[in-house]
Amino acid sequence: MQIALDFVWQSRLTLWHKPKWESEMDQGNKTEKTPLADEDEQLGPRAAAELLAQTTNQAKRQFDEWPPYLLFIGAVIFLFVYGVVWMSVRGQHPYLGPSGGALAALYGGIVVWIITVVVVLQRARGGVSGRSAQQRRTYSAGWIVIVLAYSTFQGALYHAGASHAIVYGVYPASVVWLFAGTAFVTIGVIREQSPPLALGIAFMAIGLVGAFAGPVVGWLVSGIGISVALASFGVVRIVKRRA
Amino acid sequence: MSVDEINPLIHVPARLRIMATLAALPVGDNLSFTRLQEMIGLSAGNLITHLRKLEDANYINTEKSGLGQSSRTQVVVTKRGREALDAYTATLRELIEGF
């Protein structure tokens, strides 16, 4: 018995069973066959274990939001910009604050750092959604509040008549790291993670030491301290990756 | 422990890599099809076929959003999938130690 071909009926059948991922398939080759040759590939236990370890490590590296090189870049940036500011305030009696050029270098360096962090984070987070994405939005809002609070309090100090040594010295050189350190300690405690907790404690310690060092040396202490802290964390992350 | 006890569904290079990549994400996170394809390096059709097999076993879930060409698929490993991968890893370890 011959069955007449009914292309209208057949096309309806095809549309009914339209693959769920058709839009993604459209991005590739629609006529491509999928032989799945690897189904027949003999994979020994050792080779499988190696492939599993290799794939896991590669994936973790690609999802890593704070790769070691980012921390090393941060170390160099902060050492440079804080060093420039320290050079501009060295020998000031009375303390007046950083020069315009030094401030430009400071803010320029911070902008470069922020842009670098955003680029790296976007690359790591690309395509990832879910609980951690929601957490990050919350943390971002928190950071904005902290920056606003820090800046507003500096204004309050100025308004209260605090000296230049405090408003443009100790506060931006050292107290800023107390704010940042508190934030990281809080993140570490909430997430029960030791890296942000340790980094937060380091930042707070640097801020306190810098505050006691005064408005001039505080810039030097913070620059070296933050640089060493970030570089050390970079080294720790490299060692942990290799372990 | 023998080689026969290895989970045959995961014990295929492509699917092993898919499971390992998805399991590297924190619990509760999912990955877009596009990013997964980029990381695994498979063709779209090949990847879809493997994902279908894993989804049939309830090792992963897929969620499609949007319409037409702008639709996107997110892939997430399930609790069962993580447990299966952990069991698979433990089996490999026992086999290797037993050699």
Side-chain angles (χ1 to χ4, degrees):
Chain A
M1 183 174 77
Q2 284 187 326
I3 299 170
L5 293 173
D6 182 349
F7 289 102
V8 173
W9 183 83
Q10 283 183 325
S11 63
R12 282 186 188 150
L13 186 64
T14 303
L15 287 170
W16 181 261
H17 290 288
K18 190 172 173 176
K20 193 154 71 156
W21 297 283
E22 187 172 276
S23 60
E24 279 90 3
M25 285 184 78
D26 287 348
Q27 291 162 19
N29 186 352
K30 262 189 172 173
T31 61
E32 184 185 345
K33 291 282 184 188
T34 56
L36 298 182
D38 53 3
E39 290 279 2
D40 300 322
E41 188 176 328
Q42 295 294 320
L43 192 61
R46 281 191 203 279
E50 278 173 22
L51 181 60
L52 176 59
Q54 186 184 47
T55 306
T56 302
N57 289 337
Q58 278 176 354
K60 284 184 176 175
R61 282 188 191 194
Q62 291 194 50
F63 294 139
D64 190 357
E65 297 178 356
W66 291 97
Y69 72 83
L70 183 61
L71 296 167
F72 294 138
I73 290 172
V76 169
I77 288 175
F78 281 104
L79 185 65
F80 174 73
V81 298
Y82 271 65
V84 166
V85 173
W86 173 66
M87 297 282 283
S88 83
V89 300
R90 209 166 47 147
Q92 283 186 357
H93 293 292
Y95 183 90
L96 295 172
S99 66
L103 279 177
L106 176 67
Y107 289 124
I110 289 172
V111 166
V112 167
W113 168 242
I114 290 172
I115 290 172
T116 307
V117 167
V118 167
V119 167
V120 170
L121 288 179
Q122 280 183 339
R123 198 183 303 162
R125 295 170 184 173
V128 179
S129 57
R131 190 189 299 170
S132 64
Q134 208 167 333
Q135 263 182 355
R136 282 193 296 269
R137 283 191 285 273
T138 308
Y139 288 136
S140 296
W143 279 110
I144 291 170
V145 169
I146 288 169
V147 169
L148 287 174
Y150 163 81
S151 305
T152 306
F153 193 70
Q154 188 177 28
L157 287 173
Y158 174 82
H159 184 71
S163 67
H164 280 209
I166 299 296
V167 179
Y168 303 119
V170 173
Y171 192 77
S174 306
V175 174
V176 64
W177 297 111
L178 290 179
F179 276 81
T182 304
F184 276 107
V185 163
T186 306
I187 290 170
V189 166
I190 289 172
R191 287 188 184 175
E192 294 180 7
Q193 291 175 346
S194 49
L197 181 62
L199 191 64
I201 291 172
F203 282 174
M204 290 178 85
I206 290 163
L208 288 170
V209 172
F212 276 104
V216 173
V217 180
W219 289 103
L220 186 65
V221 167
S222 292
I224 293 174
I226 297 304
S227 177
V228 168
L230 291 176
S232 301
F233 265 79
V235 169
V236 166
R237 289 183 77 84
I238 289 175
V239 168
K240 276 191 173 178
R241 275 184 181 184
R242 291 185 181 169
Chain B
M1 179 75 56
S2 72
V3 177
D4 296 332
E5 293 179 56
I6 294 180
N7 184 327
L9 187 62
I10 297 179
H11 196 58
V12 166
R15 289 198 287 272
L16 176 54
R17 292 171 62 206
I18 290 168
M19 290 298 294
T21 300
L22 293 174
L25 285 168
V27 173
D29 276 2
N30 46 47
L31 191 62
S32 69
F33 177 92
T34 310
R35 180 84 191 270
L36 180 62
Q37 185 189 356
E38 185 190 297
M39 290 176 74
I40 301 293
L42 290 176
S43 65
N46 210 346
L47 180 58
I48 285 167
T49 306
H50 286 298
L51 288 176
R52 192 173 286 140
K53 291 193 179 208
L54 292 170
E55 192 173 22
D56 287 344
N58 199 22
Y59 285 175
I60 64 164
N61 274 334
T62 57
E63 223 177 83
K64 194 176 178 186
S65 58
L67 295 166
Q69 287 296 319
S70 63
S71 65
R72 293 289 178 263
T73 300
Q74 297 290 122
V75 187
V76 63
V77 64
T78 61
K79 184 167 177 262
R80 181 183 155 95
R82 284 186 190 267
E83 287 168 357
L85 185 62
D86 288 343
Y88 173 80
T89 306
T91 304
L92 285 183
R93 195 176 296 125
E94 285 186 36
L95 282 170
I96 291 168
E97 285 169 4
F99 281 157

